[in-house]
């Protein structure tokens, strides 16, 4: 996968375009995100539909390494709660709260699509509406 193609994926992901998964994920994709395991493209779409219902998520790529078989990125993901949600994927949240992920994501690629995605956390933080920040560990 080229960097340009990967950046197209990130642009559409940041636009919260659920159809991005149709183009970039293998139908039987396996996703390991902390202790969360998602099997199949539909599970990934459902997971992000749930996240994007509450949060504005933006991915920021700090470093990219790739070849025909895989991609590895050092990444930040910023989540801002747009509404109160007592049952968000991160637990109860109020509009204006923020979360930030820092870590590494490893993708296996076949025929230009991701067959496996593995997320490794370095840090996950929560910032409340008053600006107080605390470390959360792994959210899933």
């Amino acid at each position: 996968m080229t960097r340009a193609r990967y950046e197209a994926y990130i642009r559409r992901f940041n636009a919260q375009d659920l159809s991005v998964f149709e183009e970039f994920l293998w139908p039987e994709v396996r996703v390991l995100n902390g202790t969360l395991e998602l099997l199949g493209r539909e599970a990934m779409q459902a997971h992000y539909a749930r996240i994007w219902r509450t949060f504005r998520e933006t991915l920021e790529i700090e470093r990219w390494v790739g070849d025909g078989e895989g991609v590895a990125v050092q990444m930040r993901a910023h989540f801002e709660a747009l509404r109160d949600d007592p049952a968000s994927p991160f637990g109860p949240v109020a509009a204006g709260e923020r979360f930030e992920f820092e870590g590494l994501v490893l993708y296996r690629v076949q025929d230009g699509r991701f067959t496996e995605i593995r997320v490794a956390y370095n840090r996950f933080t929560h910032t409340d509406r008053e600006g107080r920040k605390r470390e959360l560990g792994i959210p899933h």
Side-chain angles (χ1 to χ4, degrees):
M1 177 170 291
T2 66
R3 182 157 186 167
R5 179 157 167 80
Y6 183 78
E7 288 175 352
Y9 168 74
I10 295 300
R11 275 191 303 278
R12 288 181 53 202
F13 186 99
N14 284 345
Q16 297 184 335
D17 175 0
L18 283 173
S19 73
V20 72
F21 301 125
E22 295 287 330
E23 181 178 341
F24 285 88
L25 299 184
W26 202 253
E28 299 82 23
V29 66
R30 180 175 182 229
V31 180
L32 297 171
N33 184 345
T35 59
L36 175 68
E37 183 174 13
L38 301 171
L39 300 174
R41 181 190 305 149
E42 290 177 4
M44 185 79 151
Q45 288 171 312
H47 177 71
Y48 278 97
R50 184 172 175 228
I51 287 176
W52 295 343
R53 196 169 41 239
T54 298
F55 295 98
R56 172 74 180 123
E57 180 179 5
T58 306
L59 303 181
E60 176 186 338
I61 304 310
E62 296 178 328
R63 185 165 184 213
W64 180 93
V65 177
D67 62 20
E69 297 178 17
V71 172
V73 295
Q74 181 179 342
M75 170 186 297
R76 288 182 185 263
H78 309 276
F79 300 85
E80 181 180 355
L82 301 176
R83 65 182 187 90
D84 294 353
D85 185 345
S88 89
F90 303 149
V93 297
E97 290 184 83
R98 296 183 316 276
F99 295 83
E100 187 166 316
F101 157 87
E102 295 176 37
L104 305 172
V105 183
L106 178 64
Y107 303 82
R108 285 187 193 262
V109 177
Q110 181 179 332
D111 298 329
R113 290 184 178 182
F114 304 129
T115 61
E116 182 178 72
I117 303 171
R118 289 180 175 256
V119 180
Y121 289 74
N122 295 122
R123 164 169 236 196
F124 196 74
T125 58
H126 168 256
T127 305
D128 67 19
R129 293 189 294 183
E130 287 74 41
R132 293 182 297 255
K133 186 179 279 194
R134 65 185 170 96
E135 294 293 328
L136 296 176
I138 297 175
H140 300 295

